[in-house]
Structure formats: structure tokens, C-alpha cells
Amino acid sequence: GSSGPFPSFEPDVVQWWDGLTGTKIGEPLTPAADLIDVTASDMSNAEFIWPVLDLALSDDATTVATTHMGGFTLLRDLETGTVKGPSEGFALVSPLAVSPDGTRLAGVTSDSSVRIWSTDDSYAPVALPGALGAVDHVAFTQDGSLVIVGPSGAHVVDPGVGPQMGHEFQVFDDHVVDTLFYLPDGRLAAGGIDNSFTSGGFAIWDPSDEDPVVEPFARGVLHGAVSADEHWLAIASDGPTIEIRDLHTGETRTVATPGYGPVVLGFSPDSTLLASLVWNPVTDDASVMWFSSPEFELRGTTSVRERGFSNPPTGMSFSADSAVLAVAPNRSPAVLIDVATGEVTRTLEAEAPGAYAVALDHDGSHLYVDSSRGDMVIDLTHPTTAPLVLPSPAGGVADLALSTDERTLYGIGGDGDLIIWDLESNQRVGSPVHPGSGTSPFGGGRSIALAPDGQHAAVGYGDGRVVVWDVDPEVWVQRACALVPQSEFCP
């Protein structure tokens, strides 16, 4: 009890018993300090000052994990007595499980997603989709698989290569991941901007084994693009310039743009043009500025939206043959531009009003668009054919990406859900994949990028996270068959 506004608790202790005889083993882990610095590398004197909500022990009896009402989890090495918390920040975790060899910690965070941490911090946290519903229990099997039990039943996944799993990176602490794309060599690039548009950062890293190293920007990074010939990197910050980096020599140059500056960048697939979608908030003009490559001289300007919308344009997409550019002007109809002439050839007023995100197929015959009418497939070769509306979540998507084989469409919803559509059946593939709501007021998903191997999709979130999801359905089947070989779907 407590006479003040907050409850008080007796410090908890952890005691061991022999399961066969019922006798106590050793002395209990008792309080030894008044405060816990969860950022310290050595917390051997840490006491359990908050009630223990859950406890898990490795099979080799060397590692014990405890999660506490105070909102933190501790790992204690029973051989050395040292105590630490996983290096990546996370919310309250319960229930808990420690792998048999003590190398992995699994738990359910407050955003209802299951996370797996390396107890020695040897790899980035792994996130499992939170669409499993309320999780009642997690447990490791002897072979290292993780069992997740909830209202919908039990799910068994391989924490190393399980289906629909993602590797999580905390790229920015207080910035939105506003742009995200893969370099041709498989590295990821992410740009961030803060709430006040006064600072930002840019990072390039190998998602297989490295943490992002953020390069600070005086102004936020709104977008970026890399040329298909792997020669040029373009970065649009919150100002009237584009930074161009030569990826071969490391040299940089700047290209001036009018007004508010570039909002979205994109190289043509043949690497001969850089398109910059710019917006002037004073006149509310939205246009595409064309720059030749490698000279990066202004070739021309194409207006893509009339005045009166007071919102920056949000997306564009080249066809793979570099012949057509589709633009999502935001709250205005999508437009198609002939790249050779720079002229608008079609305005999709009825088909795609209020376009926010667009993706063109290889030959420019089909447009995939998120608009005020929902997520749609528009057959551009048959103007009289009504758009096909895809099954979509409420609120639409923030960004779209089309697979290179044009069989799958990916979208990231504003609520953070990764949506996958099969374009042969025009149906969603499984349930939306949700890594957790995040903690930032910026909200959920912001950007999406597909890896060159086609097997991974990287998603940028409003709380500075990037999660790289395994999205290859064939791999999901192979992994499921490895776990349950008697399934009728397995060879």
C-alpha cells in the first residue's frame, strides 16, 4: 500500500527450487541497489525494484530473463552475475521465452508484435507480424523453433528463416523514414526528416549484417534515387537543390530547382534522365523538371497540376522502357507524360482522382494507383475499360512497388500494414503484415522498396524504423514444408 498517489511495492526476488525434491537451490537474487540504469553495460548490482511479470530460463541454466512492470526487461548471466538489457530499445515485453542455448530472447511487446533479440547483440532484432492477435504464450522448442500461441491457434516458425519475418533496424531516433530505396548492389538507402523540417539524415547500409550509419543533414531528406547504371545518387533535401553524388568517385555537385524544391526524384530506367517532381507552395504549382544525365542540365519542365490544392505532389513512376512517366499529384488526378516530348498525354480525371501513389508496368500498359477511389489497376490500352478495384485496407496506402515480374504488387498502408496483392488473381496474398504500431506521432508506414533479388521488401516507418520483410511466397512454402513435411502442399 501507499499513502501517496503512486503504489509502492516490496522489491521482488527470484528464487530457484529443485523440481524433484522441492528444496530451494542457492540464495535468492536479492535487491542490491536503489536504481537501475538500463543503458549501462554492467548491471550486476541491479535489483528487481518493480514486480516481475514474467520469467524465462535457458535450458542450460545459464541465462534468465525477467520482464518488469516498470517497462523493461533484464538478462542475467547466472554464471557471472552480470545483468543487461538488449541494446535496441523496446517496450514492455511479456510473455517471455529464452532459447535452449540462451542465445535468443523472444517476447511480445506492447504493440502486440513478437520480437526476437540476440542476447549477445550479434544481429538486429527480428520482428514477426502482429496480425496473429493477442499472444498468450511463446516458447522455444528443442530444435530452436519458436511456438506462438494465441486465440487463432499455435504457430511454429523458425526464428532464423521463418515465414513472413523481418529484420528490424532503428535508422533514426526522431525522424521519419520518408524515402527508402535499394542500390543495385543490394544495399539499402534511407532518408529521414524531423517534425519541424529543420533537420534530417541519410544512411546507406548492408541489410544482411550491418547497422545503419546515419549521415546528418542540416535540412531533412525528402527523397532519393539511384541510377540503374549504378553511377549516380540523387538526394532531395528540404530546400531548392538536389545533391548529385558520383558513386564511382565520391564527388558531389548541386542542382538548383525553383520554389520549395524537389519532393520526389527518379532516374529513367535507361539512366539518361533525372526527373524531379517539384512544388512551389506560394503559387501551388506542381511540375516535373527534367535533367539530362550525366550533365544534369535542365532539359525542360512539365506542369502536372493546376493551382488550388495546397499539398505537395507525392509520387511518380517510370515505365521500364523509359517511355512513360506517371505522376501522382496528390488530391488531383494522375497524369501520364510522354518522356520523349515532356508533354502530358493523358489526365485520369475519372479513373484516378486524387492520386497519391502510382506504379507503372514494364511497357506502360497498366497503371497501379492509390487514389481517392481506392487502390486500382487501370488498363491504359483500353480507355473504356473500368478500373479494377483491389481489396484494400481502410485509409489506402502511402507507397506502392511493383515486382520485376509484374506478378505482385506491394503497398504500405498509413497504419503500418504491408499489403501484398497477387496480380493474376487480383486478390491479397494472406493477411496484411504488421510489425507494430510504433511509438512516433508520425504514425505508420511511409515508404517501401523492393530488393533486387525480388525476395525482400523494405518498409520505412514514421518512428525511424526500417523493417526488411521476406516476401517470397515460394520461400514461405519451402520453409513451411521444412517444419511440417507431411503437408499436402509439400513435394
Side-chain angles (χ1 to χ4, degrees), residues 209-228:
D209 58 8
E210 292 184 11
D211 290 332
V213 177
V214 177
E215 173 188 349
F217 268 63
R219 302 178 70 89
V221 176
L222 294 175
H223 210 263
V226 64
S227 60

Side-chain angles (χ1 to χ4, degrees), residues 437-460:
S437 60
T439 58
S440 167
F442 293 107
R446 304 282 295 198
S447 50
I448 186 171
L450 295 182
D453 61 12
Q455 297 182 0
H456 300 87
V459 178

Side-chain angles (χ1 to χ4, degrees), residues 306-438:
E306 297 178 355
R307 299 182 182 183
F309 292 90
S310 301
N311 283 281
T314 48
M316 62 183 181
S317 173
F318 279 97
S319 61
D321 58 7
S322 300
V324 181
L325 178 69
V327 178
N330 190 359
R331 301 189 182 183
S332 183
V335 299
L336 302 178
I337 301 174
D338 185 316
V339 174
T341 64
E343 296 181 354
V344 175
T345 59
R346 187 170 173 185
T347 300
L348 303 173
E349 295 183 6
E351 302 93 331
Y356 188 84
V358 290
L360 268 173
D361 63 2
H362 184 276
D363 58 3
S365 62
H366 289 82
L367 178 68
Y368 306 91
V369 57
D370 175 75
S371 76
S372 57
R373 290 187 57 193
D375 297 299
M376 299 179 296
V377 181
I378 300 175
D379 186 346
L380 299 176
T381 61
H382 298 86
T384 59
T385 302
L388 175 67
V389 179
L390 297 170
S392 307
V397 300
D399 200 7
L400 289 170
L402 181 66
S403 64
T404 54
D405 61 9
E406 301 182 4
R407 295 171 55 188
T408 312
L409 180 68
Y410 301 88
I412 180 63
D415 58 358
D417 282 347
L418 172 63
I419 304 100
I420 306 174
W421 291 279
D422 172 40
L423 294 179
E424 294 183 351
S425 64
N426 294 314
Q427 296 296 317
R428 276 209 311 241
V429 178
S431 300
V433 181
H434 190 62
S437 60

